[in-house]
Each structure stands twice: as structure tokens, then as C-alpha cells.
Amino acid sequence: MTGEQPDDAAVTALIEWQREPDRAYGCPIGHGELRPIRNGSGLLLVCPECAHTLPVDPLLVTEVLGERPPGEVEPPRLPDGRTPRGLCPDGTVRTTGWLLLGRRPVPSALLSGLAGIAVLTPVLGWLGLAIGLVAGFGGWQLVTTWLQPASRFSAGPAVLASVLRPGQWARLYGSLGPVGQVSGTAATAAGDLVVRFRGGAQVVAAPTDELVTLELVD
């Protein structure tokens, strides 16, 4: 089905979707399946008992209406429209790393420069200080730009999975590893929360689980 749908087509299709116990989205506190409605902000799934409200995941609508396979989704984009430098085939983004000293992150660029100094200073003395810094940072640039492209980022706070909104960037697993751009969130009948990312990746989390947010630079 690829043509335009009537305004209530998505609601009708979601009603049918919610009648299937094995895939219906449910209230996180156990009141049963959520009810699809449309208001000024778009499509919502609402619990008739406690008024728990969940914005409808755009990917869910495409699944219900059969407009395109779930995996064929738009890749993540930076605010200026570019694709991230560290974009991977699965839609996640590789970022430059860091080392945590206590709670303070030390960027991998600095670590590479210090490594260069540590290697060359014993051999070249004070001259090795400058050369090692340049060589270490230059090697880091070569790897993260050409050999294994990775995106630079600005770290953000950890937030509840339930408050993530489409367009936000978050790490899929803890404070390290790949980053995804949120496409939507939805509750499952079991009370878990599915966080979907552009490109097709998804994470199943408890409502109290936190994901680390960030902003990509390139």
C-alpha cells in the first residue's frame, strides 16, 4: 500500500493492530492495551484507565499501513542535513572514544597525543615532546577521519528512556558503544519500553532505565 491514506486510516489500522495480543502496546502499569486516538499533536496511544499517553512511533504506522518494510527507514541526519561521519550500515554511529578518570571523560585525541609523547620523548628528549604530540594527534585524525571514521560528540546527561524524543541522540548500551538517533518510543504489553532508532536498531528497556544522551558534532 503506497498511496495516500485517509486521515483516519492510521487510527483504524492501529485499532486492528492493538487487537493482536502478541504485538499490542500496553499500559506500563498493567491496565491492558492502549487505545489509539488522533489529536492536534498527531497520533497517540492512550490508556483509558490512567490516561498514560504515548506518542505513536512513526515506524509503527508504516508497519501497520504496509507502506514500506520496517528496515527501509531514513538514515540519521545532523541538524544541517549531513549524515554523521561515523555512520555504520545498521544506522548506528561510531563516535570517537574517551577514558573515564573517575567521572571525568578524557578524550581519545588527548590520549593519542600523550601516547606519542610517551613514546618519543625518551628517544628525542624535549624535541620528542612536540613531535610526539603532533604525531599522536595526527594519527588519531587519520584513523577517525579516514581509516575508521568516527563522529565527534558533546556529552550529555543520562535520562529515562521514557522521556526520549524523536531526533535525540543516545547511546544504545551504557556510556560506551554505538549511538543512535531516536525515531520513537513505544510501550509493550509486558510494560517494557521499546526505543527505536533511525536505521532500524532498537533497544528494549524498563521504564526506569536510563540512556546516555549526547550531541554529534560531525
Side-chain angles (χ1 to χ4, degrees):
M1 186 183 305
T2 57
E4 291 187 358
Q5 304 293 329
D7 286 345
D8 63 348
V11 174
T12 301
L14 284 171
I15 291 173
E16 294 301 319
W17 178 282
Q18 288 295 94
R19 289 174 178 168
E20 297 291 335
D22 61 337
R23 64 180 183 178
Y25 291 82
C27 174
I29 58 176
H31 289 149
E33 288 74 20
L34 301 177
R35 179 179 301 168
I37 66 169
R38 183 191 293 277
N39 63 14
S41 62
L43 283 174
L44 302 172
L45 289 170
V46 179
C47 175
E49 297 292 331
C50 67
H52 171 79
T53 301
L54 188 71
V56 170
D57 182 347
L59 181 58
L60 174 62
V61 176
T62 65
E63 291 178 4
V64 170
L65 297 179
E67 293 176 347
R68 58 183 179 178
E72 294 180 8
V73 294
E74 293 296 323
R77 300 279 181 181
L78 298 172
D80 60 7
R82 293 177 298 148
T83 55
R85 185 169 70 185
L87 182 63
C88 299
D90 63 355
T92 61
V93 178
R94 182 189 302 111
T95 61
T96 57
W98 75 94
L99 177 68
L100 285 176
L101 296 180
R103 293 188 175 181
R104 183 180 297 276
V106 180
S108 57
L110 176 59
L111 295 174
S112 299
L114 293 176
I117 291 173
V119 171
L120 295 181
T121 299
V123 179
L124 301 177
W126 288 107
L127 186 60
L129 186 65
I131 296 177
L133 183 61
V134 172
F137 180 74
W140 176 86
Q141 282 279 77
L142 176 66
V143 171
T144 59
T145 304
W146 299 104
L147 299 181
Q148 195 173 31
S151 296
R152 294 175 297 165
F153 66 94
S154 175
V159 302
L160 291 174
S162 58
V163 304
L164 289 169
R165 290 295 177 260
Q168 280 188 285
W169 295 95
R171 293 200 181 274
L172 277 66
Y173 313 110
S175 59
L176 297 172
V179 171
Q181 188 174 36
V182 177
S183 66
T185 58
T188 69
D192 294 322
L193 193 71
V194 179
V195 182
R196 289 193 171 98
F197 299 90
R198 297 183 72 174
Q202 67 179 35
V203 170
V204 179
T208 55
D209 286 347
E210 293 184 330
L211 272 69
V212 176
T213 62
L214 65 158
E215 293 293 335
L216 292 190
V217 176
D218 54 19

Coordinates of all heavy atoms in Angstrom, one line a residue, residues 117-159:
I117 N 53.8 11.4 22.9 CA 54.9 12.0 23.8 C 55.6 10.9 24.6 O 56.8 10.9 24.7 CB 54.2 13.0 24.7 CG1 53.7 14.2 23.9 CG2 55.2 13.5 25.8 CD1 52.9 15.2 24.7
A118 N 54.8 10.0 25.1 CA 55.5 8.9 26.0 C 56.4 8.1 25.2 O 57.4 7.6 25.7 CB 54.4 8.1 26.6
V119 N 56.1 7.9 23.9 CA 57.0 7.0 23.0 C 58.2 7.8 22.6 O 59.3 7.2 22.6 CB 56.2 6.5 21.8 CG1 57.1 5.8 20.8 CG2 55.1 5.5 22.3
L120 N 58.1 9.0 22.2 CA 59.2 9.7 21.5 C 60.1 10.5 22.5 O 61.2 10.8 22.2 CB 58.6 10.6 20.4 CG 58.0 9.9 19.2 CD1 57.5 10.9 18.2 CD2 58.9 8.9 18.6
T121 N 59.5 11.0 23.6 CA 60.3 11.8 24.5 C 61.6 11.0 25.0 O 62.7 11.6 25.1 CB 59.5 12.3 25.7 OG1 58.4 13.1 25.1 CG2 60.3 13.1 26.6
P122 N 61.5 9.8 25.4 CA 62.7 9.1 25.9 C 63.7 9.0 24.8 O 64.9 8.8 25.1 CB 62.1 7.7 26.3 CG 60.7 7.9 26.6 CD 60.3 8.9 25.6
V123 N 63.3 9.0 23.5 CA 64.3 8.9 22.4 C 64.8 10.2 22.0 O 66.0 10.4 21.8 CB 63.6 8.1 21.2 CG1 64.6 8.0 20.1 CG2 63.1 6.8 21.7
L124 N 64.0 11.2 21.9 CA 64.3 12.5 21.3 C 64.4 13.6 22.3 O 64.7 14.8 22.0 CB 63.3 12.9 20.2 CG 63.2 11.9 19.0 CD1 62.1 12.4 18.1 CD2 64.5 11.8 18.3
G125 N 64.2 13.3 23.6 CA 64.3 14.3 24.6 C 63.1 15.4 24.4 O 62.0 15.0 24.1
W126 N 63.5 16.6 24.7 CA 62.5 17.7 24.6 C 61.9 17.8 23.2 O 60.7 18.2 23.1 CB 63.1 19.0 25.0 CG 63.3 19.1 26.5 CD1 64.5 19.1 27.1 CD2 62.4 19.2 27.5 NE1 64.4 19.1 28.5 CE2 63.0 19.2 28.8 CE3 61.0 19.3 27.6 CZ2 62.4 19.3 30.0 CZ3 60.3 19.4 28.8 CH2 61.0 19.4 30.0
L127 N 62.6 17.5 22.2 CA 62.1 17.5 20.8 C 61.0 16.5 20.7 O 60.0 16.8 19.9 CB 63.2 17.3 19.8 CG 62.9 17.4 18.3 CD1 62.4 18.8 18.0 CD2 64.0 17.0 17.5
G128 N 61.1 15.4 21.4 CA 60.1 14.4 21.3 C 58.7 14.8 21.9 O 57.7 14.3 21.5
L129 N 58.8 15.9 22.7 CA 57.5 16.4 23.3 C 56.6 17.0 22.2 O 55.5 16.7 22.1 CB 57.9 17.5 24.4 CG 56.7 18.0 25.2 CD1 56.1 17.0 26.0 CD2 57.2 19.2 26.0
A130 N 57.2 17.8 21.4 CA 56.5 18.4 20.3 C 56.1 17.4 19.2 O 55.0 17.4 18.7 CB 57.2 19.6 19.7
I131 N 57.1 16.7 18.8 CA 56.9 15.7 17.7 C 55.9 14.6 18.1 O 55.0 14.2 17.3 CB 58.2 15.1 17.2 CG1 59.2 16.1 16.7 CG2 58.0 14.0 16.2 CD1 60.5 15.6 16.3
G132 N 56.0 14.1 19.3 CA 55.1 13.1 19.8 C 53.7 13.6 19.9 O 52.8 12.9 19.5
L133 N 53.5 14.9 20.3 CA 52.2 15.4 20.4 C 51.5 15.5 19.0 O 50.4 15.1 18.8 CB 52.2 16.8 21.0 CG 50.8 17.5 21.2 CD1 49.9 16.6 22.1 CD2 51.0 18.9 21.8
V134 N 52.3 16.0 18.0 CA 51.8 16.2 16.6 C 51.6 14.8 16.0 O 50.5 14.6 15.4 CB 52.8 17.0 15.8 CG1 52.4 17.0 14.3 CG2 52.9 18.4 16.3
A135 N 52.5 13.9 16.2 CA 52.4 12.5 15.6 C 51.2 11.8 16.2 O 50.4 11.1 15.5 CB 53.6 11.7 15.8
G136 N 51.0 11.9 17.5 CA 49.9 11.2 18.2 C 48.5 11.7 17.7 O 47.6 11.0 17.4
F137 N 48.4 13.1 17.7 CA 47.2 13.7 17.3 C 46.9 13.4 15.8 O 45.8 13.2 15.4 CB 47.2 15.2 17.6 CG 45.9 15.9 17.2 CD1 44.7 15.7 18.0 CD2 45.8 16.7 16.1 CE1 43.6 16.3 17.6 CE2 44.7 17.3 15.8 CZ 43.5 17.1 16.5
G138 N 48.0 13.5 15.0 CA 47.8 13.3 13.6 C 47.4 11.9 13.3 O 46.5 11.6 12.4
G139 N 47.9 10.9 14.0 CA 47.5 9.5 13.8 C 46.0 9.3 14.2 O 45.3 8.6 13.5
W140 N 45.6 10.0 15.3 CA 44.2 10.0 15.7 C 43.3 10.5 14.6 O 42.2 10.0 14.3 CB 44.0 10.7 17.0 CG 42.6 10.9 17.5 CD1 41.9 10.0 18.3 CD2 41.7 11.9 17.3 NE1 40.7 10.4 18.5 CE2 40.5 11.6 17.9 CE3 41.8 13.1 16.6 CZ2 39.4 12.5 17.9 CZ3 40.7 14.0 16.5 CH2 39.5 13.6 17.2
Q141 N 43.7 11.7 14.0 CA 42.9 12.3 13.0 C 42.8 11.3 11.8 O 41.8 11.2 11.1 CB 43.6 13.6 12.5 CG 43.3 14.8 13.4 CD 42.0 15.4 13.2 OE1 40.9 14.8 13.6 NE2 41.9 16.5 12.5
L142 N 43.9 10.7 11.4 CA 43.9 9.8 10.3 C 43.0 8.6 10.5 O 42.2 8.3 9.6 CB 45.4 9.2 10.0 CG 45.5 8.2 8.9 CD1 45.2 8.8 7.6 CD2 46.9 7.6 9.0
V143 N 43.0 8.0 11.7 CA 42.1 6.9 12.0 C 40.7 7.3 12.0 O 39.8 6.6 11.4 CB 42.5 6.2 13.3 CG1 41.5 5.2 13.7 CG2 43.9 5.6 13.2
T144 N 40.3 8.3 12.7 CA 38.9 8.7 12.9 C 38.3 9.4 11.7 O 37.1 9.5 11.6 CB 38.7 9.6 14.2 OG1 39.5 10.8 14.0 CG2 39.2 8.9 15.4
T145 N 39.1 9.9 10.8 CA 38.6 10.5 9.6 C 38.6 9.6 8.4 O 37.6 9.7 7.6 CB 39.4 11.8 9.3 OG1 39.4 12.7 10.4 CG2 38.8 12.5 8.1
W146 N 39.6 8.8 8.2 CA 39.7 8.0 7.0 C 39.7 6.5 7.2 O 39.0 5.8 6.5 CB 41.0 8.4 6.3 CG 41.1 9.8 5.9 CD1 41.8 10.8 6.5 CD2 40.4 10.4 4.8 NE1 41.6 12.0 5.9 CE2 40.7 11.8 4.8 CE3 39.5 10.0 3.9 CZ2 40.2 12.7 3.9 CZ3 39.0 10.9 2.9 CH2 39.3 12.2 3.0
L147 N 40.5 6.0 8.1 CA 40.6 4.5 8.3 C 39.4 3.9 9.0 O 38.9 2.9 8.5 CB 41.9 4.2 9.1 CG 43.2 4.6 8.4 CD1 44.4 4.2 9.3 CD2 43.3 4.1 7.0
Q148 N 38.9 4.5 10.0 CA 37.7 4.0 10.7 C 36.9 5.3 11.2 O 37.0 5.7 12.3 CB 38.1 3.2 11.9 CG 36.9 2.4 12.5 CD 37.4 1.4 13.6 OE1 38.3 1.7 14.3 NE2 36.7 0.3 13.7
P149 N 36.2 5.9 10.2 CA 35.5 7.2 10.5 C 34.7 7.1 11.8 O 33.9 6.2 12.0 CB 34.7 7.4 9.3 CG 35.4 6.7 8.2 CD 35.9 5.4 8.8
A150 N 34.8 8.2 12.6 CA 34.0 8.3 13.8 C 33.6 9.7 14.0 O 34.3 10.6 13.6 CB 34.9 7.8 15.0
S151 N 32.5 9.9 14.6 CA 31.9 11.2 14.8 C 32.4 11.8 16.2 O 32.4 11.1 17.2 CB 30.4 11.2 14.8 OG 30.0 10.9 13.5
R152 N 32.7 13.1 16.2 CA 33.0 13.8 17.4 C 31.6 14.1 18.1 O 30.6 14.2 17.4 CB 33.8 15.0 17.2 CG 35.2 14.8 16.7 CD 35.9 16.1 16.4 NE 35.2 16.8 15.3 CZ 35.4 18.1 15.0 NH1 36.3 18.8 15.7 NH2 34.8 18.6 14.0
F153 N 31.7 14.3 19.4 CA 30.4 14.5 20.1 C 30.6 15.4 21.3 O 31.7 15.6 21.8 CB 29.8 13.2 20.5 CG 30.6 12.4 21.6 CD1 30.3 12.6 22.9 CD2 31.7 11.6 21.2 CE1 31.1 11.9 23.9 CE2 32.5 11.0 22.1 CZ 32.2 11.1 23.5
S154 N 29.5 15.9 21.8 CA 29.4 16.6 23.0 C 28.6 15.8 24.0 O 27.4 15.5 23.7 CB 28.8 18.0 22.8 OG 28.7 18.7 24.1
A155 N 29.1 15.4 25.1 CA 28.5 14.5 26.1 C 27.3 15.2 26.7 O 27.3 16.4 27.0 CB 29.4 14.0 27.2
G156 N 26.2 14.4 26.9 CA 25.0 14.9 27.6 C 24.7 14.1 28.8 O 25.4 13.1 29.2
P157 N 23.5 14.4 29.5 CA 23.2 13.6 30.7 C 22.5 12.3 30.3 O 22.1 12.0 29.2 CB 22.2 14.5 31.3 CG 21.5 15.3 30.2 CD 22.6 15.4 29.2
A158 N 22.5 11.4 31.3 CA 21.7 10.2 31.2 C 20.2 10.5 31.6 O 20.0 11.2 32.6 CB 22.2 9.1 32.2
V159 N 19.3 10.1 30.8 CA 17.9 10.4 31.0 C 17.1 9.1 31.0 O 17.5 8.1 30.4 CB 17.3 11.4 30.0 CG1 18.1 12.7 30.0 CG2 17.3 10.8 28.6

